[in-house]
């Protein structure tokens, strides 16, 4: 039995509201006083207590072999200090227990916006080339305990991904 791992490169596209729409939303700055509309994050945090915090990540690189989803809430992520970053995503397909390999995509996210992941969107990241990046994260207080489903590509396909720009 061959147990070697294959590294598959994913070309990371610059994120836009249009190319990210199957996975969630991209939110850019708006004028103060603007009324709520479809350009604002369409959140679902009704299944628990919202948690908004800053997470510090160090030396993440660009490779991953696991991807995660949350079925009970949306999640928002954005970097502080204007740092760019990368994320890999796959559409929810909530009737399936694993992501569809052919539908995994990677995005380069500039530091002037944040993303909202739809419920059930598979995601791997944030990843980046910087030494350290602080991210704000909005999810539920217990998301990583009761709503954290992870798929391991090494176990299922002997596969690792590397995001390239």
């Amino acid at each position: 039995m061959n147990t070697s791992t294959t590294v598959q490169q994913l070309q990371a596209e610059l994120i836009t509201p249009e190319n990210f729409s199957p996975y969630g939303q991209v939110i850019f700055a708006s004028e103060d006083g603007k009324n709520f509309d479809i350009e604002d994050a369409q959140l679902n945090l009704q299944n628990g207590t919202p948690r908004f915090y800053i997470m510090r990540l160090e030396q993440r690189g660009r490779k991953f072999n696991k991807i995660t989803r949350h079925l009970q809430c949306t999640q928002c992520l954005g970097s502080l200090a204007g740092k760019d970053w990368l994320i890999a995503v796959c559409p929810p397909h909530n009737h399936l227990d694993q992501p569809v390999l052919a539908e995994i995509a990677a995005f380069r996210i500039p530091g002037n916006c944040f993303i909202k992941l739809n419920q059930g969107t598979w995601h791997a990241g944030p990843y980046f080339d910087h030494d350290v990046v602080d991210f704000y994260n909005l999810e539920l207080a217990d998301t990583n305990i009761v709503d954290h489903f992870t798929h391991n590509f090494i176990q299922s396909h002997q596969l690792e991904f590397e995001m390239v720009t």
Side-chain angles (χ1 to χ4, degrees), residues 29 35 47 53 63 76 90 95 106 115 138:
N35 288 330
N47 294 318
Y53 65 103
K63 287 185 177 181
C76 293
C90 188
H95 62 288
I115 62 168
L138 175 62

Side-chain angles (χ1 to χ4, degrees), residues 8-154:
Q8 181 177 324
Q9 291 190 332
L10 286 174
Q11 183 66 45
E13 298 180 60
L14 179 61
I15 199 166
T16 67
E18 295 77 24
N19 67 13
F20 195 70
S21 66
Y23 319 102
Q25 291 177 269
V26 183
I27 309 296
F28 292 97
S30 59
E31 294 297 321
D32 185 35
K34 174 184 142 309
N35 288 330
F36 179 80
D37 63 19
I38 60 168
E39 292 180 358
D40 294 311
Q42 307 295 305
L43 303 174
N44 181 351
L45 299 170
Q46 67 190 15
N47 294 318
T49 302
R51 179 183 184 203
F52 184 65
Y53 65 103
I54 296 173
M55 64 180 184
R56 175 162 291 158
L57 299 176
E58 298 179 9
Q59 299 180 348
R60 296 282 294 193
R62 294 174 174 227
K63 287 185 177 181
F64 69 94
N65 56 44
K66 294 178 182 168
I67 195 164
T68 298
R69 69 176 171 178
H70 311 299
L71 296 172
Q72 296 179 22
C73 69
T74 55
Q75 181 178 12
C76 293
L77 293 165
S79 70
L80 299 174
K83 293 184 177 179
D84 62 319
W85 54 289
L86 302 165
I87 194 166
V89 290
C90 188
H93 300 304
N94 290 335
H95 62 288
L96 300 175
D97 289 336
Q98 60 184 322
V100 177
L101 273 177
E103 295 185 31
I104 296 172
F107 292 94
R108 184 169 51 90
I109 304 167
N112 68 339
C113 66
F114 72 90
I115 62 168
K116 189 253 349 193
L117 296 169
N118 290 336
Q119 284 177 253
T121 294
W122 293 95
H123 56 285
Y127 289 95
F128 48 84
D129 295 325
H130 310 285
D131 290 335
V132 175
V133 180
D134 290 338
F135 289 87
Y136 55 86
N137 189 349
L138 175 62
E139 58 192 4
L140 294 179
D142 62 356
T143 292
N144 290 321
I145 299 166
V146 301
D147 189 27
H148 195 265
F149 303 94
T150 299
H151 180 80
N152 184 319
F153 290 109
I154 290 179

